[in-house]
Amino acid sequence: MKTIPPRCPEPEGGRQYWRSLDQLAETAEFQEWVAREFPAGASECSDPVTRRKFMKLMSASFIFAGLGLSGCRRPEETIYPFSRLPENYTHGQAVYYATARPIRNQVIPLLVKSHEGRPTKVEGNPQHPDGQGATDAHTQASLLNLYDPDRAQRFTQRGNEVSRPVALDLLAKLGKDQAAGGRGLSLLLDQDGSPSRERLLEALRKKFPEARLYEYEPVDFNIRRTSATTAFGQPVEPVYRFEQARVIVSLDADFLGTEAGSWKSIRGFAKGRSADQPQAGMSRLYMVEALLSLTGANADHRLRLPASLIAALATRLAAVVMGGVESADARSFAASLNARINKADLEKIGVAAGQDAPGWIERWVDGCAQDLLANRGRSLVCAGYRQPAAVHALAHWLNALLGNVGQTVDYRQAKAGHDGTIAELAQALQRGEVDTLVIVGGNPAYNAPADLEWEKSQRRAKTVIRLGYYEDETFASCDWHFPAAHYLESWGDGRSPDGSLVAMQPLIEPLFGGMTALEFLARLGGFEKTSAYEIVRETFQALSPGGNFEEAWKKYLHDGYRPGSLNQAAAPVVPDWKAGEGILTALQPVAPPSSQKLEVVFHLDYSVDDGRYNNNGWLQEMPDPITKITWDNAVLISRKTAAELKVKNHEEVEVTVGSRRVRGPVWIQPGLADYTLGLALGYGRRRTGRVGNQTGFDCYPLRSSAALHCATGAAVKATGGRGELVCTQDHWSMEGRPIIREATLKQYAEQPDFVKRLNLEVPPGGQPLYPNPLDKAREKALHQWGMVIDLNSCVGCNACVLACQSENNVPIVGKEQVGKGREMHWLRIDRYYTADPLLAQDRKTTRPEREQAAEHWIDNAQVIQQPMMCQHCESAPCESVCPVNATVHDEEGLNVMAYNRCVGTRYCSNNCPFKVRRFNFFDYNKRPFQNHQLYLGPLAKKPQDELELVKLAKNPDVSVRMRGVMEKCTYCVQRIEQAKIAQKIQAGASGNVEVADGAIRTACEQACPAQAIVFGNVADPNSRVARLKKNQRSYSVLEFLNTKPRTTYLARIRNPNPALPDYYEVPLSTREFEAGNGTHEPGGHAGSEPAQDHSHPKGSH
Amino acid sequence: MSDIFPKWTNQLPLKIAVGLALTGTLAVGGVWYYFTPKYTRVGYQPIQPVPFSHAAHAEQMGIDCRYCHSAVDRAWYSNVPSSSTCMNCHSQVLATDPRLELVRQSAKTGQPIPWVQIHKVPDFVYFNHAVHVNRGVSCFSCHGRIDQAVEVRHEKPLSMTFCLDCHRNPAPNLRPPEQVFNLGWTNDAALQNAAGQKFVHDWKILSLQSCSTCHR
């Protein structure tokens, strides 16, 4: 009885308000998914241990347990107090330290919580001006990497363990032996913005003038700097201020997702989109992209266009804008740009974008350009890392010509990079010029461009020494391997996106004796000071002149950064028109891709980045914010392309670029440009830990130095195989009610009560079906907790999901279990697609999938994201069905779970309209989840090393739940109770026990870079949450059920431009709701009045 | 007739009798075990590695509880003092006493003293010392006259009922804040009732009985 995970059903055809193509199709399988409490297989005991065998096993174990009577007496436990108490240490009191997470050449300033000396939760540093407490999903999950049992834990020589002194001797000897100025010594470094490392490298260069330094990152955001340097003729790099911009044009820049510093961009972007301050204005985002990214999902106008054609579109955009500014140079350059792109070329772009109406694309681009011109000094153009330097240069010039510099974008002086590239290193290796290769970080054997044949090249060096975090692909071809320390174990420093100096201090001794890169380099150079602490102090001393050093140092560590330490001043920039010739040459017209010559776009994965988080279980299980696929990557493909290539979801295909090929399963994705394949980097690792093992497929073999981000001329062929993808998007569906509400800015101004117009009719009587027995107790309580989530700010970045997982000890369950709908996330983000009902012909009848796939409207869907967790209904349906009173209300309005009472009937989950309850089908914390070991019966245990390490990451303030227990969002009850206790301790013998507003921040609220989540006391009319609940955009999900949720939402506002051909007067979801409500549910639920004329978008086809 | 009572019914009375006997024994055994104070560990008094006497320190010499249990009014956990705290006095007093050998060794070598844990609530209970002692609940309420104990003993059941009895009616256990660490303080019953009610009102002490008060 092998258990086969149920597949997400295949689409057929049908309706317009849908969460997935399958729901759109209303297939029988989908209907079943929706109708069932848990997906098929989730609640059946269908494992190889039959019920009979299980009874035998269990009765036997009860007998043994009874004989031993081991469980009857409490075991004797020992208290080991310190023999000498560390200063300022209080057992049981969490301590916070300011530190930072390095990522490429930036750091994210953090405040990390430590319980009894072990870091347990990562939070943003609220004092730092850049993020003000913002973090991202990777930062939240980076904690788990610290406790990864598969980390490199030993010093090795050719795979055999050596002692630390032996390894350190080698390093010291290496430095001494470089008498000839370091000839034959090469260093390959990953990116790091640490001033200390920079200083050490400078010293190394001086000491070994013949040694060569190279830098490599598989995805390099330095193109922003290099292109700005070309465009302005001086070494500068842009720092964006999205909060200032009123019009943003993004050319393939996923600044809310995968681009560098997204956590900061999200905060800025969300601030700039406030719909409630009309005087400040709300920003408008235009997005041009090939794949559907988070930024695209949040755009007001989105154009899907093959990546190689974005340059041509940018040419036209730049030509129109430059033609409209005063500068004569710009006008003449505009003329030469115009010569690059004629009307026919433009029409071709329109066709490639799926818009074949004549003049459509011209109106789109020109409308966009006019909007930019109308908002000079308040607009922003940015280009993504995948785009060529010429597109970046155009964006930089546009910003300069539009007067945006100093307003929405700053150009800061930057140091020009002077290290070699990995291609140069590969050549040097091939020529035999490298005796000793030292690799610091990175994983080139996995992610170097395929044409370099890196592993072979690496072996050409006589000795290869590496400092690495994992014993990975690169480890295999190293002679010596040193374990690297995690950032929470390291002294260090770095620069945040705004350029201020940020401190990195350790919270724990290296668990496995790992070394920091600073110590490694200092020992290699044979420098006097080798401790990272001293190196960092020295750097700080050099960078902070004058004053009392010790005091400044203490303040630096306490605050986590040095205010006013921007060493890169903003520079005045003017376009360097001399570069124009080069740019024009680069902007050659290219042929659009076709079904024979497809285009492959490689993108950073939202979960595993470039592969560095491949072994992180939290990130692997985090559903991709757009595809909602977990544990895998896929060949993303548009519906039209899939139909032409005759491939379906889960079918394995072979993608060929030139002579290189990879195989992976297909996933059909709305919103993709046609004839474009999206391949996520970072999966299919050949050598990784037990979590990342056998996840996804590796697409690095398709990447060559010439086409790092976008390869053309690809072919796809079905192999006949299957690769099961596990996707959470159909789980816990809400069946197309007006769950998410939105309006356009214009509509909001005309009808501020638009939210109420979308209300469904409340059943007669008006009384809640499930009364709350504690309604009376509420009057005595001081606090009534509630939450507001602003959908207008939320971009769907998943930071909250992982913050919740980290704070609340939520386990991961593995791919197979997710496939059965057993994922445990307390907080999920629902992603809905909507499309215009009027564009679909004949939407009641079910048509074959292939036929429907040819309709283009399906691909121009609007995307909405909604964080969904326990709504803490005042009249909670879950409570009245619990036979053991395990889920009850407390007097402050929390719907609480008493885990020890729960017997696992799952009635509560069945009765929950929001499908937010999670059941522990197995003891996920103790069981190994990989390779189907879950089913080894009650004896299957996690390996001891894994168990002990994973324990360290747990939050001691939250119970770890076991098998058979229901769980769900608690509003972070531990934080509430801690705040209340702290207030009571402070109050002492007085009645001042009311918790101040803002003293409690739930984990999701704290992590949210968009500040979309606000939690507080709704009984206090002056609290932030109470004020937000009075906002006109406030509504509760499924209000007609009368469950009175404490979590309410603020409707989303879109800001489309009437001049554009894809303008919409009301958001498509509203249109769909109005259309659907009339036809789907005749006679009922007609509470909403028709809000708007159903005007057809102008000229859509 | 053999159809009415098949053969296996011959043993049925015996089976029933054995079953009843077993059930009865289990019931008696269960009550015997679970219904006694021993189950809640009242009276548990293990031998500690160092014969520390609360009576000598707190009662005779009048050392405040918080000299050793320094975090009790700040953290959920009331800490057992470090060996260096003992040595503050015992480097002078009884500096060579053989009973204190372990303490001296511990302070010297850094090896902790393995005290045997006596008071313990289950892992899913989040009891907080600080909030109780800061809000007028004395050590006495849960630990009895621990200041007079020569050896520490599990004095009160510390079961859920024990907690709830006080949470339902906090007034009898509330003291003026300055008497919280004075375990010998007593009040006249009638006076205490009135004073307790006043504290409940003035300090806004709520009768917290929700699950979330203790379980998270």
Side-chain angles (χ1 to χ4, degrees):
Chain A
M1 274 181 66
K2 198 76 191 158
T3 312
I4 300 154
R7 293 199 317 275
C8 293
E10 300 289 336
E12 284 290 331
R15 79 191 228 204
Q16 285 68 50
Y17 188 76
W18 83 105
R19 293 221 322 180
S20 70
L21 297 174
D22 304 335
Q23 181 171 359
L24 168 73
E26 276 195 322
T27 56
E29 291 98 320
F30 180 77
Q31 292 298 340
E32 199 191 322
W33 275 88
V34 176
R36 292 184 70 117
E37 174 193 358
F38 292 99
S43 31
E44 283 87 2
C45 182
S46 56
D47 58 63
V49 183
T50 60
R51 194 169 286 271
R52 179 177 289 259
K53 191 172 163 202
F54 175 78
M55 287 305 288
K56 275 190 204 158
L57 278 172
M58 286 319 287
S59 46
S61 40
F62 278 133
I63 288 170
F64 286 124
L67 283 178
L69 286 174
S70 51
C72 284
R73 291 278 167 205
R74 275 195 273 193
E76 188 166 282
E77 285 181 39
T78 317
I79 302 173
Y80 292 109
F82 278 101
S83 75
R84 178 173 295 277
L85 197 69
E87 204 179 347
N88 296 330
Y89 173 86
T90 308
H91 187 88
Q93 208 87 312
V95 195
Y96 289 81
Y97 291 94
T99 182
R101 180 177 80 103
I103 175 70
R104 301 200 174 84
N105 46 25
Q106 293 183 347
V107 293
I108 303 182
L110 301 176
L111 213 52
V112 180
K113 185 184 191 181
S114 168
H115 269 108
E116 280 77 57
R118 59 190 172 90
T120 53
K121 178 77 176 60
V122 176
E123 286 165 3
N125 186 346
Q127 279 186 28
H128 194 279
D130 243 5
Q132 298 146 29
T135 49
D136 58 17
H138 288 143
T139 307
Q140 291 294 337
S142 63
L143 179 78
L144 200 62
N145 277 22
L146 170 66
Y147 302 113
D148 187 343
D150 299 322
R151 283 175 66 176
Q153 306 187 358
R154 49 189 192 148
F155 294 83
T156 58
Q157 182 187 17
R158 291 182 208 287
N160 302 314
E161 186 165 351
V162 292
S163 72
R164 185 185 169 95
V166 171
L168 293 188
D169 274 355
L170 167 95
L171 217 51
K173 197 162 148 285
L174 197 68
K176 272 189 208 128
D177 286 353
Q178 304 297 331
R183 180 177 295 276
L185 174 69
S186 285
L187 268 79
L188 177 64
L189 302 137
D190 59 356
Q191 265 182 9
D192 194 330
S194 158
S196 290
R197 199 182 87 161
E198 190 50 45
R199 197 168 59 81
L200 285 182
L201 290 179
E202 208 47 60
L204 268 178
R205 284 191 194 100
K206 265 195 204 121
K207 191 161 180 187
F208 309 129
E210 296 288 311
R212 302 286 307 277
L213 267 64
Y214 303 91
E215 188 184 83
Y216 177 64
E217 276 294 335
V219 171
D220 191 347
F221 298 110
N222 271 345
I223 186 150
R224 288 183 191 173
R225 190 196 71 217
T226 52
S227 60
T229 307
T230 320
F232 298 122
Q234 51 173 322
V236 286
E237 64 182 335
V239 179
Y240 300 120
R241 282 195 245 144
F242 289 100
E243 63 272 26
Q244 303 291 341
R246 289 296 155 265
V247 173
I248 303 166
V249 176
S250 164
L251 302 165
D252 209 12
D254 182 16
F255 60 87
L256 301 178
T258 49
E259 289 275 339
S262 64
W263 50 283
K264 186 189 174 207
S265 310
I266 293 174
R267 177 139 302 186
F269 179 70
K271 267 192 197 146
R273 278 189 83 80
S274 165
D276 296 321
Q277 293 160 326
Q279 69 281 7
M282 181 182 169
S283 72
R284 178 178 292 148
L285 171 60
Y286 299 88
M287 180 76 181
V288 185
E289 61 177 353
L291 308 175
L292 179 56
S293 68
L294 270 180
T295 313
N298 286 285
D300 297 301
H301 288 283
R302 178 174 176 276
L303 193 66
R304 56 188 183 99
L305 190 64
S308 59
L309 296 180
I310 291 175
L313 184 120
T315 311
R316 170 74 188 191
L317 182 75
V320 180
V321 174
M322 287 183 186
V325 297
E326 284 75 34
S327 153
D329 285 333
R331 281 163 184 272
S332 74
F333 190 72
S336 22
L337 282 175
N338 259 329
R340 278 269 166 255
I341 180 155
N342 57 30
K343 276 247 166 7
D345 290 338
L346 201 59
E347 289 307 311
K348 264 187 221 159
I349 296 176
V351 173
Q355 301 290 356
D356 40 14
W360 192 97
I361 190 78
E362 195 178 337
R363 275 196 290 143
W364 201 94
V365 181
D366 292 1
C368 184
Q370 293 309 328
D371 208 7
L372 281 174
L373 283 168
N375 284 281
R376 292 186 206 188
R378 283 149 37 100
S379 55
L380 180 56
V381 185
C382 50
Y385 71 89
R386 283 194 290 263
Q387 288 303 314
V391 174
H392 281 263
L394 286 181
H396 294 313
W397 280 0
L398 288 183
N399 283 332
L401 293 170
L402 288 165
N404 297 335
V405 177
Q407 305 292 322
T408 59
V409 57
D410 277 336
Y411 283 92
R412 293 235 163 82
Q413 278 157 12
K415 273 188 200 138
H418 37 56
D419 297 334
T421 66
I422 195 168
E424 289 162 15
L425 174 58
Q427 283 161 12
L429 280 164
Q430 291 295 344
R431 289 195 299 267
E433 289 171 9
V434 182
D435 290 333
T436 311
L437 175 63
V438 179
I439 304 175
V440 181
N443 186 7
Y446 168 66
N447 58 27
D451 53 324
L452 303 182
E453 298 188 330
W454 180 259
E455 263 175 297
K456 265 191 226 159
S457 306
Q458 187 175 318
R459 282 179 209 279
R460 302 273 302 209
K462 289 200 188 78
T463 320
V464 183
I465 303 165
R466 183 193 184 219
L467 176 75
Y469 198 74
Y470 287 105
E471 296 189 353
D472 50 19
E473 293 89 343
T474 309
F475 167 83
S477 48
C478 283
D479 299 302
W480 291 81
H481 198 270
F482 290 62
H486 190 265
Y487 75 88
L488 292 172
E489 302 167 336
S490 312
W491 282 101
D493 48 19
R495 291 198 178 272
S496 61
D498 72 356
S500 61
L501 187 65
V502 178
M504 188 201 292
Q505 56 178 328
L507 275 91
I508 191 168
E509 279 275 304
L511 285 167
F512 303 107
M515 279 173 93
T516 60
L518 297 181
E519 185 186 351
F520 184 81
L521 290 172
R523 285 185 186 276
L524 178 68
F527 299 139
E528 191 190 337
K529 285 180 176 161
T530 53
S531 115
Y533 173 68
E534 285 176 19
I535 295 167
V536 170
R537 259 174 75 96
E538 232 170 50
T539 313
F540 181 71
Q541 200 153 21
L543 288 173
S544 55
N548 183 339
F549 170 70
E550 284 303 327
E551 283 308 310
W553 171 251
K554 265 189 215 161
K555 187 165 162 41
Y556 172 57
L557 291 186
H558 175 269
D559 295 351
Y561 72 107
R562 204 167 73 82
S565 57
L566 309 173
N567 70 340
Q568 305 130 305
V573 288
V574 279
D576 180 9
W577 295 109
K578 288 196 293 292
E581 204 56 44
I583 292 171
L584 284 172
T585 321
L587 293 172
Q588 293 295 341
V590 290
S594 64
S595 60
Q596 277 78 43
K597 288 189 171 169
L598 297 160
E599 200 165 285
V600 179
V601 176
F602 305 100
H603 61 100
L604 282 178
D605 190 72
Y606 287 107
S607 297
V608 303
D609 199 70
D610 57 6
R612 66 184 72 201
Y613 299 115
N614 186 278
N615 203 44
N616 188 314
W618 289 351
L619 284 170
Q620 283 276 8
E621 193 150 304
M622 177 182 94
D624 183 285
I626 299 296
T627 64
K628 297 285 163 192
I629 292 175
T630 66
W631 291 94
D632 270 308
N633 59 346
V635 177
L636 300 181
I637 194 166
S638 80
R639 285 180 65 94
K640 185 176 168 196
T641 317
E644 280 184 33
L645 297 169
K646 300 189 175 62
V647 290
K648 287 183 184 157
N649 275 351
H650 306 287
E651 270 183 20
E652 196 189 57
V653 293
E654 188 173 75
V655 182
T656 316
V657 177
S659 59
R660 286 184 281 270
R661 53 198 66 196
V662 297
R663 285 172 172 217
V666 160
W667 190 255
I668 299 171
Q669 168 70 44
L672 235 58
D674 293 329
Y675 310 120
T676 293
L677 307 174
L679 301 188
L681 303 170
Y683 288 90
R685 296 276 301 270
R686 299 189 295 283
R687 186 168 176 163
T688 178
R690 52 199 103 173
V691 170
N693 204 12
Q694 292 174 5
T695 52
F697 65 92
D698 183 9
C699 60
Y700 278 107
L702 286 186
R703 265 170 56 116
S704 63
S705 308
L708 271 178
H709 304 301
C710 176
T712 49
V716 159
K717 183 175 85 196
T719 62
R722 269 185 85 80
E724 288 299 334
L725 293 169
V726 163
C727 163
T728 61
Q729 75 174 355
D730 283 341
H731 302 188
W732 332 107
S733 171
M734 296 205 201
E735 298 196 59
R737 299 186 184 100
I739 296 161
I740 295 184
R741 302 183 185 182
E742 44 176 358
T744 60
L745 193 60
K746 181 162 164 267
Q747 189 192 356
Y748 181 38
E750 286 163 4
Q751 315 170 339
D753 64 337
F754 74 95
V755 158
K756 309 228 162 23
R757 298 180 184 225
L758 293 169
N759 275 352
L760 290 170
E761 195 182 5
V762 176
Q767 285 302 307
L769 201 52
Y770 308 99
N772 176 10
L774 279 171
D775 267 343
K776 281 201 187 108
R778 279 172 54 194
E779 274 132 45
K780 275 191 282 178
L782 285 168
H783 315 99
Q784 292 300 327
W785 305 116
M787 185 182 270
V788 169
I789 300 176
D790 190 348
L791 297 178
N792 198 37
S793 302
C794 175
V795 300
C797 71
N798 269 342
C800 52
V801 176
L802 286 194
C804 174
Q805 184 149 28
S806 175
E807 170 75 15
N808 291 306
N809 299 335
V810 175
I812 54 165
V813 300
K815 179 179 169 182
E816 193 197 0
Q817 295 286 304
V818 176
K820 296 181 173 177
R822 293 174 179 177
E823 68 269 20
M824 296 301 294
H825 291 144
W826 286 5
L827 166 57
R828 68 175 191 265
I829 296 187
D830 286 332
R831 184 266 296 114
Y832 297 92
Y833 298 124
T834 62
D836 194 330
L838 298 178
L839 283 176
Q841 309 112 20
D842 192 19
R843 51 196 194 80
K844 286 299 279 182
T845 55
T846 306
R847 279 154 300 125
E849 181 193 358
R850 211 166 294 138
E851 198 180 309
Q852 198 179 33
E855 291 178 24
H856 63 81
W857 61 267
I858 209 165
D859 276 326
N860 292 325
Q862 289 182 354
V863 186
I864 334 171
Q865 314 260 10
Q866 181 179 44
M868 180 52 66
M869 69 288 251
C870 175
Q871 305 280 298
H872 291 268
C873 309
E874 285 176 7
S875 312
C878 52
E879 289 173 8
S880 34
V881 293
C882 179
V884 290
N885 245 11
T887 183
V888 288
H889 246 73
D890 78 2
E891 61 269 22
E892 297 185 338
L894 297 187
N895 170 250
V896 296
M897 267 302 302
Y899 302 124
N900 275 56
R901 281 184 185 170
C902 180
V903 296
T905 62
R906 293 175 278 140
Y907 295 165
C908 54
S909 175
N910 199 11
N911 214 29
C912 174
F914 306 97
K915 296 293 166 215
V916 290
R917 290 182 156 262
R918 298 285 180 264
F919 186 66
N920 288 274
F921 283 90
F922 285 92
D923 216 341
Y924 294 115
N925 283 297
K926 285 192 181 156
R927 298 241 183 159
F929 62 83
Q930 66 276 57
N931 304 335
H932 303 281
Q933 288 177 51
L934 202 61
Y935 289 120
L936 288 183
L939 298 175
K941 287 265 160 64
K942 272 201 167 81
Q944 201 57 31
D945 60 335
E946 193 177 328
L947 192 63
E948 291 303 320
L949 272 174
V950 171
K951 264 188 203 167
L952 292 178
K954 300 278 186 225
N955 181 358
D957 297 324
V958 178
S959 302
V960 175
R961 285 80 56 188
M962 70 171 298
R963 159 183 17 84
V965 174
M966 192 57 83
E967 59 184 68
K968 55 150 201 98
C969 162
T970 61
Y971 269 171
C972 284
V973 62
Q974 66 281 3
R975 293 188 178 209
I976 296 174
E977 293 299 326
Q978 279 163 359
K980 276 161 64 182
I981 286 171
Q983 183 61 40
K984 282 177 186 168
I985 291 172
Q986 208 186 356
S990 78
N992 179 25
V993 291
E994 196 174 324
V995 177
D997 189 35
I1000 305 167
R1001 286 163 70 80
T1002 60
C1004 49
E1005 177 185 12
Q1006 192 156 37
C1008 180
Q1011 294 182 309
I1013 303 175
V1014 173
F1015 175 83
N1017 183 4
V1018 291
D1020 169 10
N1022 296 318
S1023 67
R1024 293 170 305 156
V1025 67
R1027 284 202 305 263
L1028 283 173
K1029 278 186 192 275
K1030 286 191 207 109
N1031 189 304
Q1032 283 177 312
R1033 293 185 290 127
S1034 174
Y1035 73 98
S1036 55
V1037 175
L1038 307 186
E1039 82 298 327
F1040 60 94
L1041 293 180
N1042 228 343
T1043 62
K1044 301 181 186 166
R1046 276 285 169 87
T1047 301
T1048 52
Y1049 293 82
L1050 298 183
R1052 183 171 165 179
I1053 305 294
R1054 291 177 184 265
N1055 188 11
N1057 181 357
L1060 257 63
D1062 57 352
Y1063 174 70
Y1064 40 93
E1065 292 220 330
V1066 293
L1068 299 186
S1069 65
T1070 312
R1071 201 193 295 276
E1072 190 281 334
F1073 167 77
E1074 285 160 358
N1077 228 26
T1079 52
H1080 277 290
E1081 291 151 289
H1085 299 165
S1088 70
E1089 297 152 27
Q1092 270 281 342
D1093 62 318
H1094 295 209
S1095 73
H1096 199 272
K1098 292 160 198 160
S1100 284
H1101 57 210
Chain B
M1 288 300 278
S2 62
D3 285 339
I4 295 173
F5 292 107
K7 202 164 182 183
W8 62 266
T9 51
N10 290 347
Q11 290 175 352
L12 198 59
L14 184 66
K15 280 179 178 168
I16 290 169
V18 170
L20 281 177
L22 270 177
T23 316
T25 318
L26 278 177
V28 171
V31 172
W32 195 343
Y33 181 77
Y34 287 107
F35 285 28
T36 52
K38 208 176 172 191
Y39 172 65
T40 56
R41 302 232 290 193
V42 171
Y44 179 56
Q45 192 175 28
I47 294 168
Q48 298 290 355
V50 178
F52 175 82
S53 161
H54 277 85
H57 291 81
E59 174 83 351
Q60 291 172 24
M61 280 173 274
I63 300 175
D64 191 278
C65 308
R66 287 162 292 180
Y67 182 78
C68 300
H69 303 292
S70 54
V72 70
D73 55 355
R74 288 183 287 129
W76 69 266
Y77 182 73
S78 170
N79 58 318
V80 174
S82 60
S83 313
S84 58
T85 309
C86 307
M87 293 306 285
N88 286 349
C89 300
H90 284 296
S91 55
Q92 310 284 328
V93 186
L94 303 180
T96 55
D97 193 299
R99 289 172 298 176
L100 295 172
E101 185 53 33
L102 198 57
V103 180
R104 287 193 292 272
Q105 281 300 320
S106 163
K108 210 158 108 192
T109 61
Q111 287 297 313
I113 304 170
W115 299 101
V116 182
Q117 182 161 21
I118 299 169
H119 304 98
K120 190 174 186 295
V121 289
D123 288 342
F124 50 88
V125 176
Y126 291 84
F127 176 79
N128 189 304
H129 274 95
V131 74
H132 286 88
V133 298
N134 279 295
R135 301 275 281 165
V137 180
S138 169
C139 318
F140 172 80
S141 298
C142 302
H143 298 293
R145 289 304 300 270
I146 200 164
D147 59 327
Q148 293 176 343
V150 176
E151 280 206 61
V152 182
R153 158 173 198 279
H154 203 298
E155 205 62 47
K156 304 275 171 81
L158 305 189
S159 60
M160 187 157 154
T161 326
F162 176 80
C163 296
L164 275 174
D165 282 346
C166 185
H167 272 234
R168 286 192 179 113
N169 180 20
N173 282 298
L174 294 179
R175 294 182 176 196
E178 61 277 10
Q179 302 298 348
V180 164
F181 297 101
N182 178 9
L183 273 60
W185 184 81
T186 49
N187 204 351
D188 178 80
L191 281 177
Q192 170 61 31
N193 199 23
Q197 296 299 348
K198 189 171 166 353
F199 292 150
V200 166
H201 178 264
D202 291 353
W203 302 349
K204 291 198 186 150
I205 302 236
L206 297 170
S207 160
L208 295 175
Q209 297 168 50
S210 315
C211 308
S212 56
T213 310
C214 308
H215 306 294
R216 282 155 219 174

